[in-house]
Amino acid sequence: MKYTVSTLFNKSKITLLTLILFSLGLFAGILFSFPEAKVKQIIISSLETQGQVSVTQGDINISLFGIDGSNLQIQPENPLLPTIPIKSLAITPHWLSLLSKNPGGHLDMQLFDGTLTADIYRDGTLNLAASELNLASLSLTDQTLTITGQLAEMSLSSVVPLQKTSDSLISLSLKDINIARNSDLKLAINLGDIVINGTGRGRAFKITSLQAAEGDLAISGRGRILLGKSLPSSKINLKMEIRPQETADPMIVELLQLGTRKTADGSYELSLSGSLSDL
């Protein structure tokens, strides 16, 4: 039997159309039979176990296209830590990366009146950015320490979990930071605007610069942080130069005089070292 070019072309079109229809049918079958409830339970259980938190309310929808949620309430197991309200979140794959050996995904989240985005890959590579997060909601629930202000900008490049050779880069910019301690010794400090830059190698981090301005204290400093597997096992070694401004509470100046060394130019040198849980 002889086939003309036209006949072969028509047969090719029919074959291609058949393949397309078959693929669409297969995809639709997978989509409509997708076990959303089971996958949702696995994700929530993993989040609660690994993060030591509980998801107390909110809606989570899962499909082959990604995960989205709204009005989530995340409650840490530690009763002193505040509830984290997540207005919305969306997790989507980096589609082209799914064809590689290092697939990844993208996270968009709205919380604390601001936004947080992240890209993470199978090999642990993490790039995170946050902006305009209201820090008032992060105060301890026993109200011994109240923090107000805003995390204006944050960027973090790292690897999770941290490895001995993994490099990290972090930058923080905070605005209008006020800290008040509600105890027998009532203290309130306006720290103004704070900028922190640091690098990391494994679990060892270096604070390359720390600057605070437009508040009661002008601060500059640098130091190191060693992250342990818990807060008590994490260590800090930080040296700061502090210059009280005219707006500073006289009690704060007196406390500085007790625990620091005053330099010839009128500033105070403060060293902090030890476990993070003791600060």
Side-chain angles (χ1 to χ4, degrees):
M1 182 181 293
K2 295 183 179 180
Y3 293 97
T4 65
V5 173
S6 176
T7 303
L8 290 173
F9 183 69
N10 288 333
K11 285 183 174 291
S12 297
K13 288 197 297 183
I14 294 172
T15 302
L16 179 60
L17 180 60
T18 302
L19 286 174
I20 292 174
L21 290 175
F22 174 77
S23 299
L24 288 175
L26 179 62
F27 183 78
I30 295 174
L31 183 62
F32 288 115
S33 62
F34 186 76
E36 178 180 346
K38 184 175 181 179
V39 174
K40 183 189 299 186
Q41 187 57 48
I42 291 173
I43 291 175
I44 292 177
S45 297
S46 178
L47 173 64
E48 292 181 334
T49 302
Q50 299 297 327
Q52 296 183 329
V53 298
S54 60
V55 182
T56 58
Q57 68 179 61
D59 298 318
I60 298 178
N61 300 304
I62 301 171
S63 70
L64 291 178
F65 300 105
I67 301 171
D68 62 81
S70 61
N71 301 319
L72 299 170
Q73 295 285 337
I74 309 298
Q75 179 61 58
E77 290 183 358
N78 188 334
L80 294 180
L81 297 179
T83 299
I84 301 173
I86 298 175
K87 184 177 180 181
S88 67
L89 69 83
I91 302 173
T92 54
H94 286 301
W95 294 105
L96 292 179
S97 74
L98 299 183
L99 302 176
S100 71
K101 295 181 180 180
N102 190 31
H106 178 76
L107 166 69
D108 277 301
M109 187 182 299
Q110 292 185 344
L111 71 168
F112 299 134
D113 302 323
T115 61
L116 185 148
T117 63
D119 294 290
I120 188 166
Y121 293 83
R122 174 181 286 176
D123 66 1
T125 300
L126 170 68
N127 292 295
L128 183 148
S131 63
E132 300 181 355
L133 300 185
N134 185 352
L135 300 181
S137 302
L138 294 177
S139 298
L140 298 178
T141 56
D142 63 357
Q143 295 299 307
T144 58
L145 194 67
T146 303
I147 302 173
T148 59
Q150 185 186 77
L151 174 58
E153 296 287 343
M154 172 186 174
S155 64
L156 170 67
S157 298
S158 189
V159 176
V160 289
L162 289 171
Q163 306 295 326
K164 290 182 179 180
T165 58
S166 58
D167 292 320
S168 300
L169 187 65
I170 185 168
S171 177
L172 293 170
S173 177
L174 303 105
K175 292 181 61 178
D176 302 324
I177 301 300
N178 285 269
I179 299 178
R181 186 172 182 84
N182 303 314
S183 61
D184 294 336
L185 183 62
K186 294 185 179 296
L187 285 176
I189 305 175
N190 172 21
L191 291 177
D193 301 336
I194 303 172
V195 177
I196 302 173
N197 292 295
T199 60
R201 182 74 168 174
R203 291 182 172 272
F205 284 80
K206 181 180 180 180
I207 302 173
T208 55
S209 67
L210 184 157
Q211 303 287 332
E214 306 299 329
D216 295 334
L217 307 171
I219 302 173
S220 63
R222 59 184 57 199
R224 297 181 181 276
I225 297 176
L226 181 63
L227 295 179
K229 294 185 177 181
S230 64
L231 201 60
S233 63
S234 299
K235 309 295 182 182
I236 186 172
N237 188 343
L238 180 64
K239 292 184 178 181
M240 295 183 291
E241 185 177 281
I242 304 172
R243 185 183 296 276
Q245 305 299 292
E246 293 181 357
T247 57
D249 187 330
M251 186 179 296
I252 295 175
V253 179
E254 291 180 12
L255 290 174
L256 284 173
Q257 292 172 345
L258 291 174
T260 63
R261 184 180 73 86
K262 190 173 183 179
T263 65
D265 63 1
S267 62
Y268 297 87
E269 291 183 347
L270 175 64
S271 296
L272 296 175
S273 61
S275 171
L276 285 177
S277 62
D278 295 333
L279 297 181

Tab-separated table of all heavy atoms in Angstrom, residues 48-104:
chain	number	residue	atom	x	y	z
A	48	GLU	N	3.814	20.100	62.575
A	48	GLU	CA	3.640	20.123	64.023
A	48	GLU	C	4.754	19.370	64.736
A	48	GLU	O	5.222	19.792	65.795
A	48	GLU	CB	2.268	19.529	64.382
A	48	GLU	CG	1.110	20.398	63.929
A	48	GLU	CD	-0.240	19.823	64.309
A	48	GLU	OE1	-0.344	18.584	64.474
A	48	GLU	OE2	-1.193	20.594	64.447
A	49	THR	N	5.202	18.258	64.145
A	49	THR	CA	6.253	17.460	64.783
A	49	THR	C	7.613	18.132	64.683
A	49	THR	O	8.318	18.293	65.677
A	49	THR	CB	6.316	16.063	64.146
A	49	THR	OG1	5.044	15.419	64.274
A	49	THR	CG2	7.391	15.222	64.813
A	50	GLN	N	7.982	18.548	63.463
A	50	GLN	CA	9.300	19.126	63.244
A	50	GLN	C	9.411	20.533	63.827
A	50	GLN	O	10.460	20.913	64.347
A	50	GLN	CB	9.612	19.165	61.741
A	50	GLN	CG	9.635	17.807	61.078
A	50	GLN	CD	10.727	16.910	61.625
A	50	GLN	OE1	11.791	17.382	62.010
A	50	GLN	NE2	10.470	15.609	61.668
A	51	GLY	N	8.346	21.311	63.741
A	51	GLY	CA	8.396	22.688	64.209
A	51	GLY	C	7.986	22.874	65.647
A	51	GLY	O	8.062	23.994	66.175
A	52	GLN	N	7.551	21.778	66.316
A	52	GLN	CA	7.094	21.854	67.709
A	52	GLN	C	6.024	22.925	67.860
A	52	GLN	O	6.072	23.789	68.733
A	52	GLN	CB	8.266	22.107	68.652
A	52	GLN	CG	9.287	20.978	68.670
A	52	GLN	CD	10.404	21.196	69.666
A	52	GLN	OE1	10.794	22.319	69.958
A	52	GLN	NE2	10.919	20.102	70.215
A	53	VAL	N	5.045	22.874	66.960
A	53	VAL	CA	3.930	23.809	66.979
A	53	VAL	C	2.646	23.025	66.712
A	53	VAL	O	2.669	21.842	66.391
A	53	VAL	CB	4.092	24.905	65.896
A	53	VAL	CG1	5.348	25.741	66.140
A	53	VAL	CG2	4.119	24.295	64.499
A	54	SER	N	1.522	23.711	66.859
A	54	SER	CA	0.242	23.121	66.486
A	54	SER	C	-0.512	24.114	65.611
A	54	SER	O	-0.447	25.326	65.826
A	54	SER	CB	-0.600	22.784	67.728
A	54	SER	OG	-0.864	23.951	68.492
A	55	VAL	N	-1.173	23.590	64.584
A	55	VAL	CA	-1.995	24.417	63.703
A	55	VAL	C	-3.399	24.405	64.269
A	55	VAL	O	-4.115	23.403	64.175
A	55	VAL	CB	-1.974	23.871	62.262
A	55	VAL	CG1	-2.796	24.767	61.346
A	55	VAL	CG2	-0.539	23.781	61.746
A	56	THR	N	-3.808	25.509	64.898
A	56	THR	CA	-5.057	25.523	65.644
A	56	THR	C	-6.267	25.867	64.793
A	56	THR	O	-7.379	25.499	65.130
A	56	THR	CB	-4.975	26.523	66.814
A	56	THR	OG1	-4.664	27.832	66.300
A	56	THR	CG2	-3.869	26.120	67.792
A	57	GLN	N	-6.067	26.595	63.694
A	57	GLN	CA	-7.193	26.892	62.812
A	57	GLN	C	-6.667	27.371	61.462
A	57	GLN	O	-5.488	27.632	61.293
A	57	GLN	CB	-8.096	27.976	63.418
A	57	GLN	CG	-7.450	29.355	63.488
A	57	GLN	CD	-8.392	30.396	64.065
A	57	GLN	OE1	-8.829	30.271	65.201
A	57	GLN	NE2	-8.704	31.401	63.285
A	58	GLY	N	-7.590	27.466	60.495
A	58	GLY	CA	-7.207	27.934	59.175
A	58	GLY	C	-7.549	26.936	58.096
A	58	GLY	O	-7.925	25.792	58.370
A	59	ASP	N	-7.476	27.379	56.863
A	59	ASP	CA	-7.801	26.558	55.703
A	59	ASP	C	-6.539	26.282	54.894
A	59	ASP	O	-5.770	27.199	54.591
A	59	ASP	CB	-8.824	27.266	54.816
A	59	ASP	CG	-10.145	27.507	55.544
A	59	ASP	OD1	-10.594	26.585	56.262
A	59	ASP	OD2	-10.710	28.604	55.399
A	60	ILE	N	-6.324	25.033	54.537
A	60	ILE	CA	-5.206	24.633	53.688
A	60	ILE	C	-5.752	23.825	52.517
A	60	ILE	O	-6.493	22.858	52.713
A	60	ILE	CB	-4.173	23.791	54.461
A	60	ILE	CG1	-3.563	24.589	55.611
A	60	ILE	CG2	-3.065	23.318	53.524
A	60	ILE	CD1	-2.573	23.801	56.448
A	61	ASN	N	-5.419	24.256	51.319
A	61	ASN	CA	-5.847	23.552	50.112
A	61	ASN	C	-4.620	23.055	49.368
A	61	ASN	O	-3.657	23.792	49.166
A	61	ASN	CB	-6.660	24.489	49.215
A	61	ASN	CG	-7.901	25.015	49.916
A	61	ASN	OD1	-8.726	24.240	50.382
A	61	ASN	ND2	-8.026	26.331	50.001
A	62	ILE	N	-4.669	21.794	48.931
A	62	ILE	CA	-3.524	21.162	48.288
A	62	ILE	C	-3.967	20.566	46.959
A	62	ILE	O	-5.018	19.928	46.864
A	62	ILE	CB	-2.943	20.048	49.184
A	62	ILE	CG1	-2.512	20.634	50.534
A	62	ILE	CG2	-1.755	19.383	48.505
A	62	ILE	CD1	-2.126	19.595	51.542
A	63	SER	N	-3.180	20.810	45.941
A	63	SER	CA	-3.441	20.233	44.632
A	63	SER	C	-2.105	19.960	43.952
A	63	SER	O	-1.040	20.240	44.502
A	63	SER	CB	-4.285	21.189	43.777
A	63	SER	OG	-3.521	22.332	43.408
A	64	LEU	N	-2.179	19.446	42.726
A	64	LEU	CA	-0.952	19.213	41.974
A	64	LEU	C	-0.250	20.513	41.605
A	64	LEU	O	0.936	20.525	41.255
A	64	LEU	CB	-1.268	18.429	40.699
A	64	LEU	CG	-1.707	16.976	40.902
A	64	LEU	CD1	-2.042	16.352	39.559
A	64	LEU	CD2	-0.608	16.175	41.589
A	65	PHE	N	-0.975	21.629	41.678
A	65	PHE	CA	-0.399	22.921	41.318
A	65	PHE	C	0.299	23.593	42.494
A	65	PHE	O	0.965	24.598	42.326
A	65	PHE	CB	-1.488	23.845	40.770
A	65	PHE	CG	-2.158	23.301	39.553
A	65	PHE	CD1	-3.435	22.763	39.644
A	65	PHE	CD2	-1.519	23.302	38.337
A	65	PHE	CE1	-4.062	22.261	38.516
A	65	PHE	CE2	-2.133	22.790	37.210
A	65	PHE	CZ	-3.408	22.261	37.293
A	66	GLY	N	0.132	23.067	43.706
A	66	GLY	CA	0.776	23.667	44.872
A	66	GLY	C	-0.112	23.635	46.097
A	66	GLY	O	-1.092	22.887	46.168
A	67	ILE	N	0.239	24.464	47.056
A	67	ILE	CA	-0.469	24.530	48.332
A	67	ILE	C	-0.814	25.982	48.607
A	67	ILE	O	0.008	26.880	48.407
A	67	ILE	CB	0.412	23.997	49.476
A	67	ILE	CG1	0.824	22.556	49.212
A	67	ILE	CG2	-0.292	24.111	50.822
A	67	ILE	CD1	1.868	22.025	50.183
A	68	ASP	N	-2.033	26.234	49.044
A	68	ASP	CA	-2.382	27.580	49.488
A	68	ASP	C	-3.203	27.481	50.767
A	68	ASP	O	-3.909	26.503	51.015
A	68	ASP	CB	-3.138	28.363	48.408
A	68	ASP	CG	-4.471	27.705	48.050
A	68	ASP	OD1	-5.444	27.918	48.789
A	68	ASP	OD2	-4.536	26.984	47.027
A	69	GLY	N	-3.062	28.488	51.593
A	69	GLY	CA	-3.766	28.511	52.874
A	69	GLY	C	-4.128	29.924	53.263
A	69	GLY	O	-3.611	30.901	52.723
A	70	SER	N	-5.047	30.044	54.219
A	70	SER	CA	-5.466	31.357	54.684
A	70	SER	C	-5.904	31.280	56.139
A	70	SER	O	-6.368	30.237	56.617
A	70	SER	CB	-6.614	31.906	53.823
A	70	SER	OG	-7.742	31.051	53.883
A	71	ASN	N	-5.711	32.405	56.846
A	71	ASN	CA	-6.163	32.557	58.235
A	71	ASN	C	-5.677	31.430	59.137
A	71	ASN	O	-6.435	30.868	59.937
A	71	ASN	CB	-7.700	32.651	58.288
A	71	ASN	CG	-8.227	33.812	57.469
A	71	ASN	OD1	-7.654	34.892	57.492
A	71	ASN	ND2	-9.295	33.582	56.737
A	72	LEU	N	-4.395	31.103	59.016
A	72	LEU	CA	-3.807	30.047	59.832
A	72	LEU	C	-3.350	30.607	61.171
A	72	LEU	O	-2.884	31.744	61.267
A	72	LEU	CB	-2.613	29.421	59.118
A	72	LEU	CG	-2.901	28.752	57.771
A	72	LEU	CD1	-1.599	28.409	57.075
A	72	LEU	CD2	-3.749	27.508	57.951
A	73	GLN	N	-3.469	29.809	62.201
A	73	GLN	CA	-2.974	30.151	63.531
A	73	GLN	C	-1.967	29.081	63.943
A	73	GLN	O	-2.321	27.918	64.091
A	73	GLN	CB	-4.127	30.216	64.557
A	73	GLN	CG	-5.135	31.327	64.303
A	73	GLN	CD	-4.602	32.690	64.682
A	73	GLN	OE1	-3.694	32.808	65.489
A	73	GLN	NE2	-5.142	33.739	64.085
A	74	ILE	N	-0.707	29.486	64.107
A	74	ILE	CA	0.346	28.559	64.483
A	74	ILE	C	0.711	28.816	65.936
A	74	ILE	O	1.164	29.899	66.295
A	74	ILE	CB	1.599	28.739	63.605
A	74	ILE	CG1	1.213	28.702	62.112
A	74	ILE	CG2	2.632	27.680	63.924
A	74	ILE	CD1	0.612	27.411	61.660
A	75	GLN	N	0.522	27.816	66.796
A	75	GLN	CA	0.789	27.962	68.222
A	75	GLN	C	2.005	27.135	68.630
A	75	GLN	O	1.977	25.908	68.568
A	75	GLN	CB	-0.427	27.512	69.049
A	75	GLN	CG	-0.225	27.598	70.553
A	75	GLN	CD	0.047	29.015	71.019
A	75	GLN	OE1	-0.760	29.901	70.799
A	75	GLN	NE2	1.194	29.239	71.645
A	76	PRO	N	3.116	27.788	69.032
A	76	PRO	CA	4.285	27.034	69.504
A	76	PRO	C	3.967	26.244	70.774
A	76	PRO	O	3.089	26.630	71.561
A	76	PRO	CB	5.321	28.135	69.790
A	76	PRO	CG	4.867	29.311	68.984
A	76	PRO	CD	3.367	29.228	68.971
A	77	GLU	N	4.692	25.126	70.977
A	77	GLU	CA	4.487	24.332	72.184
A	77	GLU	C	4.901	25.095	73.435
A	77	GLU	O	4.314	24.915	74.502
A	77	GLU	CB	5.276	23.024	72.087
A	77	GLU	CG	4.720	22.046	71.067
A	77	GLU	CD	5.485	20.740	71.054
A	77	GLU	OE1	6.472	20.618	71.813
A	77	GLU	OE2	5.089	19.840	70.292
A	78	ASN	N	5.913	25.950	73.318
A	78	ASN	CA	6.333	26.780	74.444
A	78	ASN	C	5.249	27.813	74.728
A	78	ASN	O	4.976	28.678	73.895
A	78	ASN	CB	7.657	27.476	74.116
A	78	ASN	CG	8.240	28.208	75.320
A	78	ASN	OD1	7.530	28.622	76.239
A	78	ASN	ND2	9.546	28.384	75.319
A	79	PRO	N	4.586	27.773	75.896
A	79	PRO	CA	3.476	28.686	76.176
A	79	PRO	C	3.878	30.150	76.252
A	79	PRO	O	3.019	31.031	76.162
A	79	PRO	CB	2.945	28.183	77.528
A	79	PRO	CG	4.112	27.492	78.163
A	79	PRO	CD	4.868	26.880	77.029
A	80	LEU	N	5.175	30.427	76.428
A	80	LEU	CA	5.622	31.815	76.502
A	80	LEU	C	5.720	32.462	75.124
A	80	LEU	O	5.694	33.693	75.010
A	80	LEU	CB	6.986	31.905	77.202
A	80	LEU	CG	7.022	31.528	78.686
A	80	LEU	CD1	8.444	31.662	79.223
A	80	LEU	CD2	6.071	32.411	79.494
A	81	LEU	N	5.840	31.633	74.076
A	81	LEU	CA	5.961	32.175	72.726
A	81	LEU	C	4.592	32.530	72.169
A	81	LEU	O	3.605	31.841	72.426
A	81	LEU	CB	6.669	31.160	71.823
A	81	LEU	CG	8.109	30.817	72.208
A	81	LEU	CD1	8.681	29.790	71.243
A	81	LEU	CD2	8.983	32.073	72.227
A	82	PRO	N	4.507	33.599	71.399
A	82	PRO	CA	3.199	34.069	70.913
A	82	PRO	C	2.671	33.228	69.761
A	82	PRO	O	3.423	32.543	69.058
A	82	PRO	CB	3.506	35.496	70.438
A	82	PRO	CG	4.944	35.433	70.015
A	82	PRO	CD	5.610	34.485	70.976
A	83	THR	N	1.361	33.297	69.577
A	83	THR	CA	0.729	32.673	68.428
A	83	THR	C	1.119	33.435	67.162
A	83	THR	O	1.203	34.660	67.158
A	83	THR	CB	-0.804	32.683	68.589
A	83	THR	OG1	-1.151	31.932	69.756
A	83	THR	CG2	-1.488	32.071	67.384
A	84	ILE	N	1.373	32.690	66.087
A	84	ILE	CA	1.764	33.307	64.823
A	84	ILE	C	0.561	33.271	63.873
A	84	ILE	O	0.145	32.200	63.426
A	84	ILE	CB	2.945	32.562	64.192
A	84	ILE	CG1	4.144	32.568	65.154
A	84	ILE	CG2	3.331	33.195	62.854
A	84	ILE	CD1	5.302	31.718	64.687
A	85	PRO	N	-0.025	34.434	63.573
A	85	PRO	CA	-1.142	34.463	62.628
A	85	PRO	C	-0.646	34.628	61.194
A	85	PRO	O	0.079	35.567	60.886
A	85	PRO	CB	-1.933	35.699	63.081
A	85	PRO	CG	-0.900	36.612	63.668
A	85	PRO	CD	0.236	35.753	64.172
A	86	ILE	N	-1.007	33.694	60.340
A	86	ILE	CA	-0.624	33.761	58.935
A	86	ILE	C	-1.872	34.084	58.120
A	86	ILE	O	-2.805	33.283	58.042
A	86	ILE	CB	0.003	32.437	58.471
A	86	ILE	CG1	1.274	32.153	59.276
A	86	ILE	CG2	0.313	32.478	56.982
A	86	ILE	CD1	1.900	30.811	58.961
A	87	LYS	N	-1.873	35.269	57.534
A	87	LYS	CA	-3.038	35.703	56.765
A	87	LYS	C	-3.223	34.855	55.521
A	87	LYS	O	-4.332	34.448	55.179
A	87	LYS	CB	-2.893	37.181	56.399
A	87	LYS	CG	-4.100	37.760	55.689
A	87	LYS	CD	-3.911	39.245	55.413
A	87	LYS	CE	-5.123	39.830	54.695
A	87	LYS	NZ	-4.929	41.273	54.407
A	88	SER	N	-2.128	34.601	54.826
A	88	SER	CA	-2.207	33.758	53.631
A	88	SER	C	-0.847	33.172	53.319
A	88	SER	O	0.188	33.736	53.708
A	88	SER	CB	-2.720	34.551	52.423
A	88	SER	OG	-1.772	35.529	52.029
A	89	LEU	N	-0.850	32.042	52.628
A	89	LEU	CA	0.394	31.450	52.136
A	89	LEU	C	0.129	30.725	50.834
A	89	LEU	O	-0.986	30.246	50.588
A	89	LEU	CB	1.026	30.517	53.170
A	89	LEU	CG	0.349	29.184	53.516
A	89	LEU	CD1	0.710	28.095	52.517
A	89	LEU	CD2	0.750	28.728	54.900
A	90	ALA	N	1.152	30.679	50.011
A	90	ALA	CA	1.066	29.941	48.754
A	90	ALA	C	2.425	29.310	48.476
A	90	ALA	O	3.454	29.982	48.559
A	90	ALA	CB	0.673	30.868	47.607
A	91	ILE	N	2.420	28.013	48.197
A	91	ILE	CA	3.639	27.277	47.868
A	91	ILE	C	3.461	26.687	46.481
A	91	ILE	O	2.518	25.934	46.234
A	91	ILE	CB	3.918	26.158	48.886
A	91	ILE	CG1	4.035	26.738	50.302
A	91	ILE	CG2	5.193	25.412	48.527
A	91	ILE	CD1	4.145	25.686	51.382
A	92	THR	N	4.351	27.055	45.569
A	92	THR	CA	4.269	26.566	44.193
A	92	THR	C	5.622	26.001	43.759
A	92	THR	O	6.664	26.477	44.209
A	92	THR	CB	3.856	27.688	43.232
A	92	THR	OG1	4.744	28.796	43.395
A	92	THR	CG2	2.437	28.146	43.514
A	93	PRO	N	5.614	25.008	42.885
A	93	PRO	CA	6.890	24.456	42.413
A	93	PRO	C	7.579	25.417	41.450
A	93	PRO	O	6.934	26.217	40.783
A	93	PRO	CB	6.467	23.169	41.683
A	93	PRO	CG	5.042	22.938	42.048
A	93	PRO	CD	4.461	24.266	42.362
A	94	HIS	N	8.902	25.328	41.390
A	94	HIS	CA	9.644	25.893	40.272
A	94	HIS	C	9.568	24.837	39.165
A	94	HIS	O	10.312	23.851	39.178
A	94	HIS	CB	11.091	26.175	40.668
A	94	HIS	CG	11.251	27.373	41.552
A	94	HIS	ND1	10.838	28.635	41.179
A	94	HIS	CD2	11.778	27.516	42.787
A	94	HIS	CE1	11.099	29.496	42.141
A	94	HIS	NE2	11.658	28.844	43.141
A	95	TRP	N	8.654	25.048	38.242
A	95	TRP	CA	8.277	23.972	37.323
A	95	TRP	C	9.453	23.412	36.543
A	95	TRP	O	9.593	22.199	36.397
A	95	TRP	CB	7.179	24.473	36.367
A	95	TRP	CG	5.902	24.775	37.086
A	95	TRP	CD1	5.398	25.997	37.385
A	95	TRP	CD2	4.998	23.817	37.640
A	95	TRP	NE1	4.220	25.882	38.092
A	95	TRP	CE2	3.945	24.555	38.256
A	95	TRP	CE3	4.948	22.429	37.672
A	95	TRP	CZ2	2.878	23.935	38.896
A	95	TRP	CZ3	3.877	21.813	38.303
A	95	TRP	CH2	2.862	22.567	38.907
A	96	LEU	N	10.306	24.276	36.018
A	96	LEU	CA	11.442	23.786	35.229
A	96	LEU	C	12.413	22.984	36.080
A	96	LEU	O	13.057	22.053	35.593
A	96	LEU	CB	12.161	24.959	34.560
A	96	LEU	CG	11.389	25.684	33.455
A	96	LEU	CD1	12.212	26.836	32.898
A	96	LEU	CD2	11.018	24.704	32.334
A	97	SER	N	12.502	23.335	37.376
A	97	SER	CA	13.436	22.610	38.243
A	97	SER	C	12.979	21.176	38.478
A	97	SER	O	13.781	20.323	38.864
A	97	SER	CB	13.587	23.336	39.584
A	97	SER	OG	12.438	23.163	40.409
A	98	LEU	N	11.693	20.901	38.255
A	98	LEU	CA	11.185	19.546	38.460
A	98	LEU	C	11.791	18.564	37.461
A	98	LEU	O	11.752	17.352	37.675
A	98	LEU	CB	9.659	19.534	38.340
A	98	LEU	CG	8.892	20.411	39.352
A	98	LEU	CD1	7.396	20.239	39.152
A	98	LEU	CD2	9.279	20.054	40.778
A	99	LEU	N	12.336	19.103	36.380
A	99	LEU	CA	12.972	18.252	35.373
A	99	LEU	C	14.440	17.994	35.699
A	99	LEU	O	15.109	17.247	34.989
A	99	LEU	CB	12.866	18.910	33.995
A	99	LEU	CG	11.442	19.226	33.505
A	99	LEU	CD1	11.498	19.970	32.178
A	99	LEU	CD2	10.615	17.949	33.395
A	100	SER	N	14.938	18.620	36.760
A	100	SER	CA	16.343	18.471	37.132
A	100	SER	C	16.481	17.560	38.350
A	100	SER	O	15.492	17.060	38.891
A	100	SER	CB	16.946	19.845	37.430
A	100	SER	OG	16.423	20.359	38.646
A	101	LYS	N	17.728	17.383	38.771
A	101	LYS	CA	17.994	16.586	39.966
A	101	LYS	C	17.851	17.403	41.244
A	101	LYS	O	18.020	16.871	42.335
A	101	LYS	CB	19.411	16.004	39.897
A	101	LYS	CG	19.614	15.007	38.763
A	101	LYS	CD	21.034	14.458	38.767
A	101	LYS	CE	21.237	13.454	37.639
A	101	LYS	NZ	22.621	12.903	37.633
A	102	ASN	N	17.545	18.694	41.105
A	102	ASN	CA	17.445	19.571	42.271
A	102	ASN	C	16.154	20.393	42.205
A	102	ASN	O	16.184	21.618	42.026
A	102	ASN	CB	18.670	20.503	42.337
A	102	ASN	CG	18.746	21.261	43.649
A	102	ASN	OD1	18.322	20.773	44.694
A	102	ASN	ND2	19.284	22.463	43.607
A	103	PRO	N	14.994	19.729	42.346
A	103	PRO	CA	13.723	20.458	42.267
A	103	PRO	C	13.566	21.423	43.443
A	103	PRO	O	14.133	21.223	44.512
A	103	PRO	CB	12.683	19.339	42.321
A	103	PRO	CG	13.362	18.230	43.050
A	103	PRO	CD	14.811	18.300	42.631
A	104	GLY	N	12.778	22.466	43.199
A	104	GLY	CA	12.577	23.462	44.248
A	104	GLY	C	11.182	24.045	44.206
A	104	GLY	O	10.375	23.754	43.309
